[in-house]
Amino acid sequence: MNETGLEQELAQLQNVYTLLTEFLVNYSFQLVGALLIFLLGLWLAGKVARMVEHQFEKHHIDPTLSHFSTNVIRLLIVVMVAIVALGKLGISVTPMIAAIGAVSLGAGLAVQGMLSNYAAGLTIIVTRPFTVGNTITVRGVTGVVKDVRLGLTLLSNEEGEQISIPNKHIVGEILYNSFGNRLVESHFNLAFDANPEHAIEVITAVLKQQPAVAQDQAMQVGINGFSSAGIELGLRFWIPSASYYQDKYKINLAVWQALLSAGVSIPAPARNIHIVEDTRRQ
């Protein structure tokens, strides 16, 4: 490298140093002030959010609504503080807001599905058709609500699987909310010569003795119909969603054992086959 090239690079570095020095001299106080304002705003946002969350907990407000409200309040405070900090630096936010609006319009057209999920999530949070811990069934999917977010709702089943449902598939659909329990419906046949009243008494006694069966929700045992196999009995009772299949199988076994002990006959399906001999070839 010749001396001329070295001198040019040194001159460029000197110019950069001069610009940085002038910038720091002219705007150092504005930068420090803007940084202090922004840090103070972050602290204030966290402080206010915690205060609001504490008030929600104090008045036993739904956790889903509490988390959403505190997050919105925190975000609004941060945005307002950021605007004040930019103004401290002499930056006008009006052109930025116009640019953000234009970009948001284009992005909104590209992510309509995502925005519809967010809108549906906001509807769920405001109207609260269910809360965390409820058992819901939507579009044939059943689970216990673990979390409600703006974009999706998280469920879990007895096997511990996590089920994510986009919120747009919940709002506007037929929704079943059985709160903490699920309904068990069973049917089986008695012989026509059996005493259905005795069988109903035996089954009712078994259900009342089972700790998993919800006693505050009406259990129903009765004749559901008649068929060629016998008298069809129907059972309807509620058990916790968290152990639905485990409790259901245990109770079904207890009912079967009680019916056998009581001498109640449960017929097996039978079919009579008649063989007709063809005598036309004789």
Side-chain angles (χ1 to χ4, degrees), residues 216-251:
D216 57 339
Q217 292 178 285
M219 61 185 73
Q220 298 171 317
V221 184
I223 297 177
N224 189 63
F226 304 92
S227 66
S228 58
I231 304 172
E232 184 181 68
L233 287 189
L235 288 71
R236 302 178 81 249
F237 54 92
W238 297 85
I239 57 178
S241 301
S243 55
Y244 176 80
Y245 290 102
Q246 177 183 346
D247 293 334
K248 175 183 176 180
Y249 297 154
K250 180 180 178 181
I251 293 169

Side-chain angles (χ1 to χ4, degrees), residues 6-278:
L6 181 60
E7 291 177 356
Q8 291 178 350
E9 290 187 2
L10 290 175
Q12 291 177 355
L13 290 175
Q14 182 66 34
N15 291 334
V16 172
Y17 174 76
T18 303
L19 289 174
L20 289 176
T21 304
E22 292 178 354
F23 179 81
L24 291 176
V25 170
N26 295 328
Y27 297 100
S28 57
F29 289 105
Q30 288 89 334
L31 285 173
V32 173
L35 181 60
L36 290 177
I37 291 174
F38 188 72
L39 292 177
L40 180 63
L42 291 179
W43 175 84
L44 181 63
K47 186 73 173 178
V48 173
R50 286 191 294 271
M51 290 176 57
V52 172
E53 187 175 10
H54 176 71
Q55 290 299 319
F56 277 128
E57 293 177 354
K58 182 178 178 181
H59 293 87
H60 306 288
I61 304 298
D62 177 61
T64 303
L65 181 60
S66 173
H67 295 160
F68 174 76
S69 300
T70 53
N71 289 333
V72 170
I73 291 173
R74 183 183 290 108
L75 179 61
L76 289 176
I77 294 176
V78 170
V79 170
M80 289 188 294
V81 170
I83 293 174
V84 174
L86 290 174
K88 183 68 175 177
L89 292 174
I91 300 175
S92 176
V93 297
T94 303
M96 295 177 59
I97 293 176
I100 292 174
V103 172
S104 300
L105 178 60
L109 296 176
V111 293
Q112 290 182 356
M114 185 182 300
L115 293 178
S116 62
N117 281 327
Y118 289 159
L122 183 60
T123 301
I124 292 172
I125 291 171
V126 173
T127 60
R128 288 187 292 174
F130 54 83
T131 59
V132 174
N134 287 169
T135 301
I136 65 171
T137 300
V138 58
R139 288 196 166 195
V141 178
T142 301
V144 178
V145 179
K146 291 301 179 182
D147 193 12
V148 181
R149 302 176 183 175
L150 273 180
L152 54 86
T153 296
L154 297 178
L155 310 180
S156 67
N157 56 21
E158 188 174 350
E159 289 73 31
E161 297 175 326
Q162 180 173 287
I163 306 169
S164 302
I165 303 180
N167 286 330
K168 67 179 181 181
H169 295 308
I170 298 178
V171 175
E173 296 288 339
I174 298 176
L175 175 70
Y176 296 90
N177 186 355
S178 57
F179 301 96
N181 296 326
R182 284 183 64 183
L183 178 66
V184 176
E185 292 186 274
S186 301
H187 305 91
F188 61 91
N189 292 315
L190 299 178
F192 280 111
D193 58 353
N195 183 354
E197 293 182 346
H198 177 54
I200 291 172
E201 292 177 358
V202 171
I203 296 172
T204 303
V206 172
L207 294 181
K208 289 183 178 180
Q209 294 173 358
Q210 296 296 318
V213 176
Q215 303 298 325
D216 57 339
Q217 292 178 285
M219 61 185 73
Q220 298 171 317
V221 184
I223 297 177
N224 189 63
F226 304 92
S227 66
S228 58
I231 304 172
E232 184 181 68
L233 287 189
L235 288 71
R236 302 178 81 249
F237 54 92
W238 297 85
I239 57 178
S241 301
S243 55
Y244 176 80
Y245 290 102
Q246 177 183 346
D247 293 334
K248 175 183 176 180
Y249 297 154
K250 180 180 178 181
I251 293 169
N252 284 343
L253 178 60
V255 169
W256 177 74
Q257 291 174 338
L259 290 175
L260 288 183
S261 300
V264 178
S265 176
I266 302 177
R271 178 176 296 178
N272 295 325
I273 301 176
H274 300 276
I275 301 176
V276 179
E277 184 178 358
D278 188 359

